[in-house]
């Protein structure tokens, strides 16, 4: 299980000014995209699992293999649930773009993404007036779609 887990993502690219194409290249297709009236992308919501580097996965797989041999397979009782839980962080972000298609605002949505953002910046991500308005707009859209 350790060797087949998701690869680590390059999280440092989530910065203002990055082109949308860089976000798509690293994180794949967003789970949702909202466009402006002129057809440009207003924001994407990305959701992905931030896994482990190749070396970390190989080391964990080697450890589990050795532990299996020394315990005559009994390690599987412990190792399998450990690997099921230790499978990376679930990251979800709402990423807003300016009219040029560059990142203008980043809102971490998942708990893991918020924790990563606090560690990276040293404090909780402030919600700017723009992001508060965009979040309210999104909530309003979601409420409209649920009421139909």
């Amino acid at each position: 299980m350790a060797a087949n887990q998701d690869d680590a993502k390059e999280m440092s690219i989530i910065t203002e000014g990055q082109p949308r194409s860089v976000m798509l290249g690293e994180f794949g297709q967003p789970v949702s995209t909202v466009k402006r009236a002129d057809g440009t992308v207003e924001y994407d919501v990305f959701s992905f699992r931030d896994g482990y580097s190749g070396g970390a996965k190989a080391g964990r797989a080697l450890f589990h293999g050795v532990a299996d041999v020394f315990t005559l397979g009994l390690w599987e009782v412990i190792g399998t649930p450990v690997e099921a839980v230790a499978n990376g962080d679930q990251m979800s972000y709402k990423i807003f773009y300016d009219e040029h298609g560059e990142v203008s605002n980043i809102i971490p949505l998942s708990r893991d993404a918020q924790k990563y953002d606090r560690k990276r910046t040293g404090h909780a991500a402030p919600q700017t007036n723009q992001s508060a308005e965009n979040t309210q707009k999104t909530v309003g859209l979601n409420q409209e779609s649920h009421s139909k």
Side-chain angles (χ1 to χ4, degrees):
M1 286 177 75
N4 293 322
Q5 292 188 350
D6 293 319
D7 292 328
K9 301 289 187 189
E10 183 55 58
M11 300 297 295
S12 65
I13 67 166
I14 302 178
T15 59
E16 290 183 10
Q18 286 283 3
R20 180 174 186 256
S21 60
V22 172
M23 300 294 117
L24 294 172
E26 183 63 25
F27 306 122
Q29 289 299 311
V31 294
S32 68
T33 296
V34 171
K35 294 186 176 186
R36 296 181 185 90
D38 66 3
T40 60
V41 174
E42 182 177 358
Y43 68 84
D44 288 321
V45 175
F46 290 96
S47 185
F48 54 89
R49 188 156 303 278
D50 185 26
Y52 299 95
S53 69
K57 291 192 296 188
R60 288 170 48 186
L62 179 64
F63 169 79
H64 287 296
V66 170
D68 277 346
V69 169
F70 281 109
T71 63
L72 302 174
L74 292 175
W75 176 252
E76 289 296 318
V77 174
I78 297 169
T80 300
V82 166
E83 285 303 318
V85 172
N87 61 353
D89 295 328
Q90 183 61 42
M91 306 299 251
S92 296
Y93 285 93
K94 183 184 273 189
I95 299 182
F96 290 87
Y97 305 99
D98 63 17
E99 62 278 358
H100 305 292
E102 295 178 346
V103 174
S104 63
N105 195 9
I106 303 150
I107 300 175
L109 300 174
S110 67
R111 185 171 299 179
D112 289 335
Q114 292 167 359
K115 186 169 72 172
Y116 172 80
D117 201 61
R118 279 192 301 274
K119 187 179 357 172
R120 182 175 60 87
T121 63
H123 57 356
Q127 194 172 38
T128 64
N129 287 338
Q130 178 187 0
S131 65
E133 290 170 15
N134 289 330
T135 300
Q136 288 174 341
K137 192 185 312 179
T138 303
V139 169
L141 289 173
N142 287 340
Q143 288 174 346
E144 282 179 28
S145 66
H146 289 312
S147 65
K148 291 183 180 180

